[in-house]
Amino acid sequence: MHSFRYVDGSLKCEGVDLEKLASEVGTPAYVYSAETIRGNYRRLDEALAPLGDRMICYAMKANGNLSVLNLLAKEGAGFDIVSGGELFKVLKAGGRADRCTFAGVGKTAAEIEYALRQGIYSFNVESEEELEMINAVAAKAGLVAPIAIRVNPDVDAPTHKYISTGKSKNKFGIGLDRAAAVYERAASLPNLKIRGLQTHIGSQILKAPPFAEAVRKLTPLVLELKAKYGLEFFSVGGGVGIVYRGALSSGDAAWWKGSGENGEGDRLAPETYAAEVIEPLKALGLRILFEPGRFIVGNAGVLLTSVLYRKSTPTKNFVIVDAGMNDLIRPALYEGYHEIEPLKQPSSTDLERVDVVGPVCESGDFFAQDREVPVLVPGDRIALMSAGAYGFVMASTYNARPLLPEVLVEGDKATIVRARQTWDDLLLGERLPT
Ligand code: LLP
């Protein structure tokens, strides 16, 4: 489900006309639909209801806007965090520390201490050295740190090589062969409390079987650890992929019929995912955690941008827009595909083959290459679809381009939930040597 559709030739987000919004807020700008975020959360939670004791820890790295976090906190979500800064934001947004899991291979002592004092639910430990560090920090603080070890199941999940994590060649987690020994070590450390086991196989995965395969591969170990140390939870990580191609036609039931970013022509509905994983997860007899990021927010956001110029070379037609790779880096970094939709449906059905590029001084600064899109002329505004996940959070001020605003839509109401940076903001913290 998502809430972007054409009504009388105008692209709307819920009840808000995006062309009108763009003229008020300016471009580039991110726009999120609250209804879509809530809908995705509820739909996933309902699909997983047969599990009983479960907790959805939204992976806030996908979209960390305070208002998005606040909305999900109100839904009862927990949060999967990867830095002290993320925990700080969760708490500011009204989230609860005791519903947070802390992942990541490079937690610093200061971050560990902060999270410990706030009372997080679990540290998801990624290495033996980190385990020792958490114990040492907890000892110094006179506290006991709840931990889970991230176990790498060595499962191949088809996705882009930069976002695959479940293979032994990736830097994440501890191998299945070492895991039992590391738990034994954890049990011997006085300031640690073993709470769970976590895994995560990668991101933008459009097939359910690899998730179930990871659970099944880990089951004997989990049952053994449960008997030995009284495990409380198992986290199956995140990674449920979304539709990028055909994202718009997907506003209704047809949504899931898109062909994924990987061009494989498949889709992963939460119900399909749930149907595959529920049985092996139930067999564990534990509380089950999920860490979805992209699934919750990906299709809930668009990036609005305006056409500045057209330009042709003997081999290419370029459409130059006012958003750049600094605003949305996914195409440059992962060959990410984002559908392009004009905010005003063109009267002509003519298409032309173009590269849609930004103003940044890099050849990698593109949103589409050799793509057939409606004829676009200067002043036209377009939406880059499915940009709600890993969009703003990965934005930078490269080329001294101020960070763009974020707008949250709820029904007919649009709120600027992050202001556009000014040129003065670009100087923040900088000073000349005296
Ligand atoms: N849990 C862990 C331990 C993770 O590393 C991640 C994502 C998630 C959960 C959430 O995964 P999701 O449900 O969103 O797939 N910037 C890339 C994606 C990086 C994903 C990193 N880890 C992109 O734009 O495609």
Side-chain angles (χ1 to χ4, degrees):
M1 180 304 300
H2 73 67
S3 310
F4 295 87
R5 52 184 59 82
Y6 283 108
V7 180
D8 300 330
S10 299
L11 189 60
K12 291 216 171 189
C13 170
E14 302 189 25
V16 170
D17 184 293
L18 290 177
E19 176 77 15
K20 193 161 165 271
L21 181 68
S23 62
E24 286 160 15
V25 176
T27 56
Y30 278 100
V31 180
Y32 311 129
S33 154
E35 179 179 69
T36 307
I37 297 172
R38 257 187 226 115
N40 286 340
Y41 178 85
R42 289 180 189 171
R43 185 167 168 187
L44 181 63
D45 191 48
E46 270 161 36
L48 297 169
L51 284 171
D53 192 6
R54 65 197 184 280
M55 180 156 83
I56 295 181
C57 293
Y58 165 62
M60 66 169 283
K61 63 169 82 69
N63 185 327
N65 184 282
L66 271 192
S67 300
V68 170
L69 301 179
N70 175 258
L71 187 160
L72 286 165
K74 282 187 189 145
E75 287 294 306
F79 296 90
D80 180 50
I81 59 166
V82 290
S83 69
E86 283 198 345
L87 177 56
F88 174 77
K89 288 195 77 176
V90 165
L91 299 176
K92 288 282 174 204
R96 278 169 44 180
D98 64 358
R99 293 176 74 76
C100 284
T101 52
F102 191 169
V105 297
K107 305 173 189 79
T108 66
E111 288 177 314
I112 293 167
E113 186 180 343
Y114 171 60
L116 196 52
R117 291 198 187 278
Q118 297 304 318
I120 63 159
Y121 182 63
S122 177
F123 290 92
N124 292 341
V125 180
E126 302 249 11
S127 68
E128 295 170 53
E129 292 192 7
E130 183 195 332
L131 191 74
E132 303 291 332
M133 174 62 92
I134 295 174
N135 181 62
V137 173
K140 213 168 140 200
L143 294 167
V144 173
I147 61 118
I149 287 166
R150 174 167 178 178
V151 181
N152 190 332
D154 200 20
V155 162
D156 211 358
T159 187
H160 190 276
K161 60 179 188 256
Y162 287 2
I163 52 177
S164 154
T165 57
K167 293 289 290 173
S168 58
K169 64 178 180 204
N170 300 122
K171 69 177 175 182
F172 299 100
I174 290 174
L176 247 180
D177 51 329
R178 286 285 307 148
V182 179
Y183 271 98
E184 204 173 315
R185 174 70 187 152
S188 76
L189 294 171
N191 292 80
L192 298 183
K193 169 189 158 62
I194 295 174
R195 182 161 261 174
L197 186 144
Q198 192 263 5
T199 195
H200 172 76
I201 57 175
S203 196
Q204 184 52 15
I205 295 166
L206 292 159
K207 294 191 186 316
F211 293 103
E213 188 194 336
V215 179
R216 290 209 173 87
K217 249 180 126 168
L218 294 170
T219 297
L221 173 69
V222 173
L223 294 178
E224 182 195 321
L225 296 171
K226 185 180 164 193
K228 259 191 181 159
Y229 311 114
L231 285 198
E232 184 179 309
F233 79 87
F234 174 82
S235 172
V236 66
V240 174
I242 62 165
V243 172
Y244 281 98
R245 288 176 201 259
L248 188 67
S249 49
S250 62
D252 46 31
W255 182 29
W256 301 104
K257 298 206 175 81
S259 60
E261 178 163 80
N262 302 335
E264 290 172 353
D266 50 5
R267 61 204 165 100
L268 183 51
E271 293 78 14
T272 311
Y273 169 76
E276 192 83 21
V277 297
I278 279 177
E279 186 215 299
L281 287 174
K282 255 192 162 166
L284 303 177
L286 295 172
R287 158 181 288 183
I288 305 296
L289 268 56
F290 298 86
E291 302 163 7
R294 189 187 320 259
F295 173 79
I296 304 289
V297 290
N299 288 115
V302 297
L303 171 55
L304 304 184
T305 180
S306 303
V307 177
L308 295 175
Y309 304 107
R310 296 169 57 93
K311 163 173 177 172
S312 295
T313 70
T315 50
K316 289 263 193 189
N317 294 314
F318 292 101
V319 170
I320 301 166
V321 297
D322 66 358
M325 65 189 288
N326 68 298
D327 301 308
L328 175 65
I329 204 172
R330 302 195 66 262
L333 203 53
Y334 319 106
E335 300 161 312
Y337 184 101
H338 292 268
E339 214 65 85
I340 290 174
E341 302 289 351
L343 301 192
K344 286 277 170 217
Q345 240 167 0
S347 44
S348 147
T349 52
D350 289 354
L351 297 178
E352 65 179 346
R353 188 172 291 279
V354 299
D355 280 22
V356 177
V357 302
V360 171
C361 298
E362 301 251 3
S363 296
D365 182 27
F366 61 82
F367 295 116
Q369 288 180 306
D370 294 317
R371 196 182 302 175
E372 287 207 315
V373 297
V375 178
L376 297 169
V377 298
D380 284 351
R381 294 195 178 101
I382 57 175
L384 294 161
M385 305 300 291
S386 313
Y390 307 109
F392 183 90
V393 282
M394 296 180 82
S396 75
T397 57
Y398 187 38
N399 281 201
R401 291 168 48 81
L403 287 174
L404 63 177
E406 293 174 285
V407 179
L408 184 69
V409 168
E410 287 214 67
D412 297 334
K413 196 170 121 223
T415 311
I416 299 176
V417 290
R418 177 196 297 269
R420 186 186 302 282
Q421 276 193 338
T422 63
W423 284 352
D424 276 329
D425 293 334
L426 292 175
L427 303 178
L428 208 71
E430 281 198 60
R431 58 184 61 115
L432 298 169
T434 47

